[in-house]
Each structure stands twice: as structure tokens, then as C-alpha cells.
Amino acid sequence: MTGQVQGKVALVTGGASGIGEAVSELLAREGASVAVTDVDDLRGPAVVAGIKKAGGEAIFIHQDVTSEARWIEVVAEVEKRYGRLDILVSNAGIGISVPSITDMTLEDWRRQNAINLDGVFLSVKHCLPAMRKTGGGSIVMMSSLAGLRGAPGLSAYSATKGGVRLFAKSIAMECAAVGDGIRVNSVHPGIIDTPIWGKIPTEAAGRGQNAPIDPEERAKLATPLARAGHASEIAQGVLYLASDASSYVTGSELVIDGGMNAGGVPRRA
Ligand SMILES: NC(=O)c1ccc[n+]([C@@H]2O[C@H](COP(=O)([O-])OP(=O)(O)OC[C@H]3O[C@@H](n4cnc5c(N)ncnc54)[C@H](O)[C@@H]3O)[C@@H](O)[C@H]2O)c1
């Protein structure tokens, strides 16, 4: 049986955990060779081992997305190994939360921007030339519901995700203008149950609580579908945008959020 991205080569940043892990696994299951990149040298190789065990093809490449020098090496390594690049999933990201923007240090603001925004810029700058050689392809940028709506305590994160949203549209227009066959879209997850929530500082969002944020508890109250999403549900959206099934889709934003962006619903007791 032919997979939905059979024979294509994909690069997924932040592929060692959560959404990136699910995306890497699904693209591999659907026939792509996947370069899984991450700073996590423990989980990254484990994700690749799992993909190979399931009969897929993948390699792990250590990468900090904020390093331009490393981007040049990573793209060269992917081309050397697989001979081409068709799909870029720019997914690596972190969330820094502070009770108030007045509490945010310039250092944290810059770190938030370096990973979530500089990293996405560098991914496109260095992957586009390789993708153009193949005559087409798909770039998927991981934004967030926080790139569409404000989120108290997460203003720096929101700023990066809003930036990613319009960066994707502008690159989509650049690619369309030169007719390189590359489509560019953003994905906007709502509350997804991944390890990211445990990494957000415990004074999270200024609610004075010390326990780590529980995404399921949060989503039950805030989401019309009354539950957190699974990373696999975001991966399905990425697969659609990465594959030829979305051949007429560019510059668009795919919201996968259990209905949060559409409005509120009265909660049943
Ligand atoms: N989980 C959610 O609810 C949610 C909602 C909206 C958007 N997102 C976005 O989805 C993306 C993936 O998040 P996740 O929930 O899977 O989080 P996660 O923490 O499980 O995974 C993120 C991965 O990125 C990697 N990473 C961090 N800094 C890096 C760097 N400098 N270079 C390379 N890799 C780096 C981490 O090591 C980790 O493996 C992020 O961009 C996040 O902002 C997540």
C-alpha cells in the first residue's frame, strides 16, 4: 500500500517529544524518510528507534534550532543521506510564562523569541534552497491558538506564535510569486497533552499555584469538546498539509483546538 507521503523526505524540528514525535512517527508510517532533529539526545534516538522498529525510515540529528551554523550542517546532512528535502515541519518550541509581562526578563524574552521565532526563520532560510531543487514541497509551521488569541501570562509566547502565523503567510506568498511549487501553512493547536506543560515554570500564568499545569484539567473547563487534544490529532493535520491531499492549500491556518477558537459553550455540570 502506498503511503500519503511515500518517497518524500521530511525534516521535523523538536521531533523528540510531544507533537514533533507524533508527526515524525506518522510521516514515517505514511512512507516518508524522516530527519528527526532536537536538542534532546536521549529521546530523539529513541523516537527514531521506534520508527525503525515499526518498519519506517528515520535518522536523528542533534540540532539547536537557534544556531545558524548548525542549520547549514543539518540541511547538508539530510541531502547527503536522502538526496532531497520535500517537507519541513518547523515545530520546536518552548513556552515561558510569567505572572505579568513586567516580571519578564529581557533574557527570557530573547530566549522565547530565539527558539520560537528565530528558529523558524532559520529553518525556512536554510531549507527552502534544498526544497526548491526538488521542484516543490510543503512547509508546516507550528503556531498555536496563542497565535490567534491573547493568553494572559504567555504574552511573549503569543508574540512569537502570532509572528509565526504571519511569517508563514508571507513565505507562502514569496513561494507562490516565484512559482517554486512550495506550499506554506501554519498549524494552531489548542490545549494538547504533551510534556510542554510540565516544562512551564510553576508560578504559571500568575495563578499563584505551585503544581505543574495539568492540561487535561485546563482543557475540561476551557474547551468546547471538554478534553485536551492528543499529539496524534495534531499530527493528522500536519500530514494533510504535508501531503498532496492539500495541493491547493497555501497561506492558510489549520486550527486544531477542540473548538476553543470558535467560542465558548456553557459547561454541563
Ligand atoms: N502542547 C500544546 O498544548 C501546544 C499548543 C499549541 C502549540 N504548541 C506548539 O507545538 C510545538 C511542540 O510542542 P510540544 O507540546 O510537543 O512540546 P514538547 O516540549 O513536548 O516538545 C518540544 C520539543 O522541542 C525541543 N526543543 C526545545 N528547544 C529546542 C531548540 N532550541 N532546538 C531544538 N529543539 C528544541 C524539545 O527538546 C522538545 O523535544 C511547540 O512549538 C509548541 O509551542 C503546543
Side-chain angles (χ1 to χ4, degrees):
M1 214 172 78
T2 311
Q4 293 182 59
V5 284
Q6 195 71 41
K8 297 193 192 280
V9 175
L11 191 163
V12 181
T13 69
S17 174
I19 291 170
E21 176 180 357
V23 167
S24 298
E25 288 171 354
L26 184 59
L27 291 178
R29 207 182 318 144
E30 290 295 330
S33 299
V34 184
V36 177
T37 86
D38 207 292
V39 287
D40 189 336
D41 292 330
L42 281 179
R43 291 184 61 117
V47 170
V48 165
I51 288 172
K52 290 194 154 166
K53 200 168 165 210
E57 172 54 36
I59 48 167
F60 174 69
I61 306 176
H62 176 90
Q63 179 184 31
D64 179 342
V65 293
T66 67
S67 164
E68 180 154 29
R70 190 63 186 138
W71 265 110
I72 294 165
E73 292 168 356
V74 166
V75 173
E77 200 169 326
V78 171
E79 285 193 299
K80 190 169 164 222
R81 175 70 178 250
Y82 295 124
R84 56 190 291 138
L85 180 61
D86 306 284
I87 297 162
L88 165 66
V89 184
S90 217
N91 163 78
I94 62 163
I96 300 179
S97 170
V98 285
S100 158
I101 192 61
T102 56
D103 300 317
M104 179 158 254
T105 63
L106 182 56
E107 191 189 9
D108 273 352
W109 170 268
R110 286 188 173 144
R111 196 162 70 90
Q112 180 69 86
N113 274 276
I115 296 173
N116 290 24
L117 208 45
D118 298 0
V120 175
F121 152 65
L122 290 172
S123 73
V124 171
K125 176 177 174 183
H126 292 287
C127 290
L128 253 187
M131 294 175 73
R132 281 180 169 149
K133 288 185 212 158
T134 73
S138 171
I139 297 176
V140 182
M141 299 184 198
M142 200 56 65
S143 178
S144 172
L145 192 56
L148 300 171
R149 298 169 25 162
L154 281 168
S155 49
Y157 178 79
S158 289
T160 64
K161 294 302 187 182
V164 165
R165 171 176 174 262
L166 277 180
F167 184 63
K169 292 185 196 307
S170 293
I171 303 303
M173 297 306 102
E174 273 193 30
C175 290
V178 297
D180 61 11
I182 296 171
R183 298 178 296 100
V184 187
N185 296 283
S186 57
V187 173
H188 301 260
I191 299 172
I192 312 303
D193 190 358
T194 74
I196 202 172
W197 291 96
K199 300 173 193 170
I200 294 176
T202 49
E203 72 276 19
R207 296 189 311 160
Q209 61 175 43
N210 288 320
I213 299 170
D214 177 354
E216 192 56 51
E217 184 197 332
R218 221 177 221 218
K220 240 184 212 135
L221 297 172
T223 309
L225 291 188
R227 68 165 175 87
H230 307 300
S232 59
E233 293 173 307
I234 306 303
Q236 289 291 345
V238 173
L239 172 65
Y240 165 69
L241 292 172
S243 76
D244 295 339
S246 59
S247 53
Y248 199 51
V249 180
T250 198
S252 80
E253 46 198 63
L254 179 54
V255 179
I256 309 176
D257 69 345
M260 270 178 95
N261 197 42
V265 289
R267 215 30 345 115
R268 290 176 298 273

